[in-house]
Amino acid sequence: QTSLFPFDVQSCGLCFTLNGYDPNAFTFTATIDSGALATDMSEWRVTISNITTSFNYCAHDLCLHYSIILARNPQFWIGLVIIPIFMLGFLILIGLFFSGQENLVKNAIDFGLTTMMSMMVVVGILNDSLSKIESIPCLGLFVLVQISVTSIAVITVLITDKMRRTLSVAANSKEHESSRWWLAVRSITRDERLLRNILFVIFALLHLENFVWLLTNQVRAENLY
């Protein structure tokens, strides 16, 4: 179950059996020695949740069951993948909305390609680190949303620059002077910096919401653990 990767928690069972014994012959119990389990692994935290015993009447087996929980240590992914992607996304948004009018189209395309290339590196890492599963892990969805938000931001900058010029001309028409809506449009389109700030806030909130959603998956995994 890797849908919460890199915050996933795995559970498995381990069973020992004694063949051909009757449960009334003797008592079968077990304990866990304090030094028998290495809980400080590089990638996983290991705990044994409980120990139970049972008897298989068909095979006359005494069974001892261990329930083992493996919780992944996500520090590597948080420090070297998630936070850099989050910071890169904000830097791209800042450069996209505050780069000025000169070479607007070229800058927008360059920022979009930079995002694609950076995210593809992460996709390659995930491809090597995870087995092929039916569902996309939460880190993969995080990267996918990052690519989508940046791509939409690039398209929005190109479209709004053209629309701003068109609306500015329409808003300055005398027939719209008494309309409150067109007065608001005129105030926004007249000041390009105001329009850029509004768009930056919108996409920055989407970017931040995506990051918060990813962290909520960590909380879910910790509750399972």
Side-chain angles (χ1 to χ4, degrees), residues 104-122:
L104 176 64
V105 176
K106 181 179 182 302
N107 289 337
I109 294 176
D110 288 343
F111 283 126
L113 291 176
T114 300
T115 302
M116 292 293 182
M117 294 298 294
S118 302
M119 300 305 173
M120 286 304 103
V121 173
V122 179

Side-chain angles (χ1 to χ4, degrees), residues 43-172:
E43 188 175 4
W44 299 97
R45 289 171 289 166
V46 185
T47 58
I48 296 180
S49 59
N50 58 12
I51 304 173
T52 58
T53 59
S54 66
F55 180 73
N56 187 340
Y57 287 93
C58 295
H60 292 280
D61 293 340
L62 287 169
C63 304
L64 177 65
H65 303 275
Y66 290 91
S67 297
I68 302 173
I69 296 178
L70 301 172
R72 192 186 303 270
N73 291 320
Q75 288 81 2
F76 168 83
W77 297 95
I78 294 175
L80 297 181
V81 177
I82 296 174
I83 292 179
I85 289 177
F86 177 73
M87 296 176 64
L88 176 64
F90 255 112
L91 290 176
I92 289 176
L93 290 178
I94 292 173
L96 187 62
F97 289 105
F98 300 104
S99 60
Q101 281 295 111
E102 297 182 2
N103 300 322
L104 176 64
V105 176
K106 181 179 182 302
N107 289 337
I109 294 176
D110 288 343
F111 283 126
L113 291 176
T114 300
T115 302
M116 292 293 182
M117 294 298 294
S118 302
M119 300 305 173
M120 286 304 103
V121 173
V122 179
V123 172
I125 295 174
L126 291 176
N127 181 63
D128 295 334
S129 302
L130 292 177
S131 59
K132 305 305 179 291
I133 55 177
E134 294 182 358
S135 60
I136 300 177
C138 63
L139 180 56
L141 292 175
F142 173 73
V143 173
L144 183 61
V145 173
Q146 289 290 102
I147 296 175
S148 302
V149 169
T150 306
S151 300
I152 295 174
V154 170
I155 296 173
T156 302
V157 167
L158 298 177
I159 294 177
T160 53
D161 181 71
K162 178 64 176 178
M163 292 181 59
R164 185 187 65 84
R165 300 175 187 275
T166 304
L167 290 175
S168 180
V169 174
N172 291 327

